[in-house]
Amino acid sequence: PDSEALAAAQARNGMLTKPPAALGRLEDLAIWYAGWVGNARPNLENLQGIVFAGNHGVAAKGVSAFPIEVTVQMVANFRAGGAAINQLLTAFGARTDIVELELDRPTADFTEAPAMSEQDLVAAMAAGWEAVDPKAGLVVTGEMGIGNTTSAAAIAAALHGGGGEAWVGRGSGVDDEGLARKRDVVDAGLALHADALSDPLEVLRHLGGREIAAMAGAILAARHHRIPVILDGFICTAAASVLESVTPGALDHTVAGHVSAEGAHSMMLEKIGKEPLLSLGLRLGEGSGAALAIGVLKGAIACHSGMATFGEAGVSGG
Amino acid sequence: PDSEALAAAQARNGMLTKPPAALGRLEDLAIWYAGWVGNARPNLENLQGIVFAGNHGVAAKGVSAFPIEVTVQMVANFRAGGAAINQLLTAFGARTDIVELELDRPTADFTEAPAMSEQDLVAAMAAGWEAVDPKAGLVVTGEMGIGNTTSAAAIAAALHGGGGEAWVGRGSGVDDEGLARKRDVVDAGLALHADALSDPLEVLRHLGGREIAAMAGAILAARHHRIPVILDGFICTAAASVLESVTPGALDHTVAGHVSAEGAHSMMLEKIGKEPLLSLGLRLGEGSGAALAIGVLKGAIACHSGMATFGEAGVSGG
């Protein structure tokens, strides 16, 4: 972040017509944002939501409540403006970009082979990087991919320790049998690729998916362009975890938009040191929780940049 | 609520392109809103924020970090558009109405006499009632009044049990000595008026303030007009508690916007059976937490009313 803008934003915050710290996390959020965009009194403009879609070979193992063709169907829904993420991004003044990643070519089933080749991984991360508008004032990354909570759980287990038991949840709503299958699938993947899992990018390649790799690429690109990012739920946080595992501090330009109802998400957020802004029981993905959290950031920046100071308003200090 | 609209909203929710319950509390919120406004597919329009300001005799006891003249100064700041509440309401498309309640005539110090006469109480509640726009699609009530966390703590203690120890916090930021004074003041008020505190409206009259009574009147008026209300923090919840104590269920048309950093607020929300939407460490009052929560409601209604159904989008169900 820009240390001059950061210091100026902190100074401004102390002069606004409110008791010190009375706006709680909104104050930290506005100062954080000001630092990253290098403007002590910023506006929140040119907001970019990006939904990445990929398909997973592991979906064939019966790990989702939905059939794999739903990925393509939901992409059509995104393009037609009919999904939750469309409504949320529009409600908060953000645009919705959709990036399909070879939906007709699912990743390999990671219980049988690495999910992606090196070329696949690089292509997916590059697609994520290139999807980021260098002029965006905020990036929200979301995803769609039937089977991808299984992939994300496997990534989390490999990076943060623990097995399927610790990280697997019901995702879009599998029953008890499906849940047991997901755990077994994750454990099988961890066992098969055990030798490759000391390198976080290899974790991503062996257990991840194209949309997860693309989110990692987009979050990296945002860092390069100094664009603040709001992280979404379980799958987005798994992508972010890869970056944090490669370079601690790699997520300093991000905040956690929400903690999802997917059980292990709160544990994953703890592992990357992020406290979520919202906790409303969402477990949809698409970027929905992050999009909703734009409202909180919007409020924070509106206060920070719009409020009068004690001097301007002629209000007596405490 | 309108049971037909409620049932139709529930049915619509089940058809939207998402796994069942994947939008968590957003789904409940949208259905609740639809029921109260009597429209299964509502828009969120004509949003009214009302900030009530009153002065408290008990402020003379040194219970606030700020001098009493700050109430008038902050009202001028509200009118000039410079306060946090102005920024938040504007950010979420709501208007800011300001109602001053005889600021040059503070309530009586409740450690010496009832804070208000019967006439004062009725006038303040009526001012709150009349401030509500019958055509509003949402009402957010906030307040300003130096000393009013002391008054709110006394009301909470009288209605919900416990003394100053249980309900008093630092408000706008008193030091340890101020905190001890606040506790003593609350306990003195509870002792002096002990015989009058079995009737919730008498609690409000003896220990409350004009802006607190006005919020109660506004919340009642909103119920009469079937307008959903987002409750704010400690002081607003004390006003709401009076209504719930008079008639259980009186707050069914309300949701708790946030839990504030004022320690006992979470306990007060539990007493009235409300789970807050946000928990971001705010402790400013003015309606700021409720205004911020408009964003959550906005997102909820945008999804509910804007999303495609499985049938419309041609997406396979789970």
Side-chain angles (χ1 to χ4, degrees):
Chain A
D2 177 329
S3 57
E4 218 169 292
L6 200 66
Q10 276 162 337
R12 174 172 171 78
N13 180 56
M15 296 188 295
L16 300 176
T17 44
K18 56 173 185 55
L23 282 171
R25 291 189 67 191
L26 296 193
E27 299 184 18
D28 304 329
L29 207 52
I31 293 165
W32 162 82
Y33 186 86
W36 281 101
V37 299
N39 179 351
R41 199 173 173 176
N43 293 316
L44 190 59
E45 290 171 338
N46 197 13
L47 314 183
Q48 186 185 24
I50 318 174
V51 186
F52 298 99
N55 268 322
H56 291 259
V58 79
K61 287 287 193 290
V63 292
S64 176
F66 288 81
I68 193 169
E69 58 263 29
V70 166
T71 305
V72 165
Q73 292 167 350
M74 282 302 295
V75 166
N77 198 19
F78 298 148
R79 292 208 184 278
I85 189 62
N86 301 98
Q87 320 314 316
L88 291 168
L89 288 171
T90 302
F92 296 110
R95 73 177 195 261
T96 310
D97 291 342
I98 296 140
V99 179
E100 295 170 56
L101 297 143
E102 306 190 54
L103 296 184
D104 52 352
R105 201 163 70 85
T107 55
D109 175 349
F110 67 61
T111 65
E112 296 169 3
M116 291 177 276
S117 68
E118 290 187 10
Q119 199 179 1
D120 284 341
L121 175 68
V122 169
M125 291 189 73
W129 182 290
E130 282 157 21
V132 171
D133 175 358
K135 298 203 183 314
L138 179 76
V139 165
V140 161
T141 58
E143 45 52 51
M144 176 70 215
I146 295 299
N148 68 8
T149 56
T150 302
S151 180
I155 290 171
L159 295 176
H160 300 309
E165 180 75 29
W167 293 100
V168 164
R170 291 185 190 271
S172 56
V174 292
D175 57 16
D176 289 348
E177 273 179 46
L179 190 65
R181 275 196 301 273
K182 280 180 80 168
R183 286 176 182 149
D184 290 347
V185 161
V186 166
D187 288 336
L190 293 171
L192 178 65
H193 304 296
D195 292 347
L197 304 181
S198 58
D199 175 345
L201 288 172
E202 284 291 278
V203 169
L204 179 59
R205 183 169 83 80
H206 283 77
L207 301 170
R210 290 190 182 84
E211 81 283 29
I212 300 176
M215 284 193 287
I219 295 166
L220 264 182
R223 176 62 165 256
H224 177 75
H225 299 303
R226 296 192 172 188
I227 303 169
V229 171
I230 303 180
L231 301 176
D232 190 42
F234 191 72
I235 299 142
C236 179
T237 307
S241 290
V242 172
L243 302 178
E244 182 69 16
S245 296
V246 172
T247 312
L251 302 178
D252 289 354
H253 66 305
T254 74
V255 290
H258 79 132
V259 57
S260 90
E262 184 74 0
H265 188 216
S266 62
M267 184 163 67
M268 206 181 340
L269 288 174
E270 272 174 39
K271 294 286 186 184
I272 63 167
K274 297 286 181 191
E275 198 187 339
L277 292 169
L278 300 172
S279 176
L280 292 164
L282 275 66
R283 52 173 179 78
L284 178 63
E286 302 181 2
S288 53
L292 191 62
I294 294 173
V296 177
L297 182 62
K298 194 173 169 177
I301 293 172
C303 288
H304 179 85
S305 296
M307 282 174 73
T309 63
F310 280 101
E312 286 163 359
V315 174
S316 310
Chain B
D2 177 328
S3 58
E4 218 168 292
L6 199 65
Q10 276 162 335
R12 174 173 171 76
N13 180 57
M15 296 188 295
L16 300 176
T17 44
K18 56 174 184 54
L23 283 171
R25 291 189 67 192
L26 296 193
E27 299 185 17
D28 304 330
L29 207 53
I31 292 165
W32 163 83
Y33 185 86
W36 281 100
V37 300
N39 180 350
R41 198 172 172 176
N43 293 316
L44 191 59
E45 289 171 338
N46 197 13
L47 314 183
Q48 185 185 25
I50 319 174
V51 186
F52 297 100
N55 269 321
H56 291 259
V58 79
K61 287 288 194 291
V63 292
S64 175
F66 289 81
I68 193 168
E69 57 264 29
V70 166
T71 304
V72 165
Q73 293 168 349
M74 281 301 295
V75 166
N77 196 19
F78 298 147
R79 293 207 185 280
I85 189 62
N86 301 97
Q87 320 314 316
L88 290 168
L89 288 171
T90 302
F92 296 111
R95 73 178 195 261
T96 311
D97 291 341
I98 297 139
V99 179
E100 296 170 54
L101 298 143
E102 306 191 55
L103 297 185
D104 52 353
R105 201 165 69 86
T107 55
D109 176 350
F110 67 62
T111 65
E112 295 168 4
M116 291 178 277
S117 68
E118 289 188 10
Q119 200 180 0
D120 284 342
L121 175 69
V122 169
M125 290 188 74
W129 183 290
E130 282 157 19
V132 171
D133 175 358
K135 299 203 183 315
L138 179 76
V139 164
V140 162
T141 58
E143 45 52 51
M144 176 72 215
I146 295 299
N148 67 8
T149 56
T150 302
S151 180
I155 290 170
L159 295 176
H160 301 307
E165 180 75 28
W167 293 100
V168 163
R170 291 186 189 271
S172 56
V174 292
D175 57 16
D176 290 348
E177 274 179 43
L179 190 65
R181 275 196 302 274
K182 280 181 79 168
R183 286 176 183 151
D184 291 348
V185 160
V186 166
D187 288 336
L190 292 170
L192 178 65
H193 304 297
D195 292 346
L197 303 182
S198 57
D199 175 345
L201 287 172
E202 283 292 277
V203 169
L204 179 58
R205 183 169 82 80
H206 283 76
L207 301 170
R210 289 189 183 84
E211 80 283 30
I212 299 176
M215 283 192 288
I219 296 166
L220 264 183
R223 177 62 166 256
H224 178 74
H225 300 302
R226 295 193 174 186
I227 303 169
V229 171
I230 303 180
L231 301 176
D232 190 41
F234 191 72
I235 299 142
C236 178
T237 306
S241 289
V242 172
L243 302 178
E244 182 69 17
S245 297
V246 172
T247 312
L251 302 178
D252 288 353
H253 67 306
T254 73
V255 290
H258 79 133
V259 57
S260 89
E262 185 74 358
H265 188 217
S266 62
M267 184 163 66
M268 204 177 346
L269 288 174
E270 273 173 40
K271 294 285 186 186
I272 62 167
K274 297 286 182 193
E275 198 187 338
L277 292 170
L278 300 172
S279 176
L280 292 163
L282 275 66
R283 51 174 180 76
L284 178 63
E286 301 181 2
S288 52
L292 192 61
I294 294 174
V296 177
L297 182 61
K298 195 173 171 177
I301 293 172
C303 288
H304 179 85
S305 296
M307 282 174 72
T309 63
F310 279 102
E312 286 164 359
V315 174
S316 311

